[in-house]
Each structure stands twice: as C-alpha cells, then as structure tokens.
Amino acid sequence: MKKGLGLLLIIPFLCSCSGARISTDQALRMINEFETKLEQKTSFSFYERKAVYETSTSRSVSLTQVFFEDNFFHSYNIYQDLKNVANSTAVETWSFIKDKMIYDVTTEDAEDNPKGKSFHAYTFEKEVWEERIKDAFEEVRKTNSLYLVRIKNEIKSKTDQTKIDLRSKNSGSLIHKIERYGNEGKVIRYKSYEFQDSLIYNVVDKDDYSVTTIDFRYKVSTQEPNIPDF
C-alpha cells in the first residue's frame, strides 16, 4: 500500500488547534444557522474547488475556478497512472468574454494545434452568459448544502461503531470528524469536514485504499483571470 494512505496518519482528535469541543445539539444549531445564511447568499466574488484523489496506483487532481466579477471560468483535470504513465491524461479549459465574444477554450483533443488548444467563439449574448453565472452560483450553494446535510445525517445515524468529534473556533466555524470502526475495533473509514465563515472549507475522506482531499476558497488572493494563448 502506498505510504500516506494508512489511517494511522489521521490527525488525533485532541489537537488543540481544532477549536473547542461542542455538543451535537450545538453543532446542529450551527448547521441550521449556516443553512439560513446560505439561503440568503446572493453572490460570490470567487470560487475555487480543488480535489485530490489518491490510491496506491493513481492520482487525480481536479480544479474549478469561477471569477464571478470578472466573467472568467477556469478548470483542469489531471489523471496520473502511477503504473503506466502512458495512460495519464490532462485537460484544461477556459471560458470568458473578449471583444464582445464568448470564448470556450480547451486543450482536449487539440494535440494537432500548434498552440495545443482549440476554441469555439460566438457572439456575446447577455442572457446566455448570465445563465452560466447563475448555474455556477447555484452549484456553490448546492455543494455547501450537500455537506451540511451530510453532517446532520452522520450525527443522527451515529452507532456504537462510530466516533464523532465536533469542534468550533467561532460562530462561523464548524469542524466535524468521524471515525467508523470495523468488527475488530479497527478504524476502517475517516472523514472530516471543516467550515469557515459558515462555508465548507476542507473535506478529507480516508480508508485503507484511498485518500480524497478537497479544498475550497471563496476569496481571490494573488490570483487573477489569465486569458490563454490560443
């Protein structure tokens, strides 16, 4: 098994940097508050989701970025076959407005293009573009709602073979960690969900065969839209 996938590497529940322990009732109240804030949310300036999935034989990385205020979409998907490099793939895409045109650019199936990219361009229509922005916004809300519902279900369906640790650093922070045990008392699954500013921030899902890590960002730091050379 690939080093780093074992459950022995799980961060201990008693890590002091994880905030103060809270009760399930407190956590459920916070989730309800987060859901209310999510329903009231009308816009985001930026959104990023980066997911890494690792097994002993492969590694996949997917990134989605939406610069809402700059009308710019960017994404890539990378798959690495650790046993057969020839099976590895990488695809990058961009969508944006330029010179009153909408451009969709991709590296997929563009090996014969001198710049390694192909594109489609069509006249900018406000309704069409606004629908893309709306769909992207709703996707962010649906993603957050998914994890809030998941935590509620895990709390309510807790069994004797489940250990849940709930912590919070402030009114917008919630850290949910869950360990599931097999019949022999060994941890067979570990998951954690961390919310900051009432929004999902980090997800970790581990078992003996794979590790999935997902990071989310909602504020632009040093990044800015970068129109590709095509």
Side-chain angles (χ1 to χ4, degrees), residues 125-203:
E125 293 184 26
K126 183 178 179 182
E127 296 77 10
V128 172
W129 188 259
E130 286 182 343
E131 190 64 25
R132 286 197 188 189
I133 295 294
K134 179 182 176 182
D135 289 345
F137 171 76
E138 289 301 329
E139 184 62 29
V140 180
R141 292 215 301 185
K142 287 179 182 178
T143 298
N144 274 269
S145 179
L146 168 69
Y147 289 113
L148 289 169
V149 170
R150 190 171 293 178
I151 292 175
K152 285 196 290 187
N153 290 340
E154 290 181 350
I155 290 175
K156 293 175 181 178
S157 62
K158 183 180 181 297
T159 68
D160 292 339
Q161 291 181 302
T162 304
K163 178 181 179 181
I164 292 178
D165 185 65
L166 296 161
R167 295 177 179 269
S168 179
K169 300 175 184 178
N170 52 54
S171 61
S173 162
L174 177 62
I175 301 152
H176 169 90
K177 298 181 180 180
I178 179 169
E179 291 179 346
R180 297 190 188 282
Y181 293 83
N183 294 330
E184 299 178 355
K186 176 187 175 183
V187 177
I188 58 175
R189 187 80 176 271
Y190 166 84
K191 293 189 286 185
S192 72
Y193 310 97
E194 181 175 355
F195 283 76
Q196 292 185 11
D197 298 325
S198 305
L199 297 170
I200 189 65
Y201 179 79
N202 176 263
V203 175

Side-chain angles (χ1 to χ4, degrees), residues 2 22 29 37 72 76 92 99 105 118 121 139-140 148 150 170 173 179 185-186 197 211 213 217 221 223 230:
K2 181 181 177 181
I22 60 175
R29 282 197 296 270
K37 291 181 179 179
F72 192 88
Y76 63 71
E92 191 167 10
D99 300 328
V105 182
S118 61
E139 184 62 29
V140 180
L148 289 169
R150 190 171 293 178
N170 52 54
S173 162
E179 291 179 346
K186 176 187 175 183
D197 298 325
V211 179
T213 304
R217 300 291 181 270
S221 54
Q223 299 183 69
F230 59 95

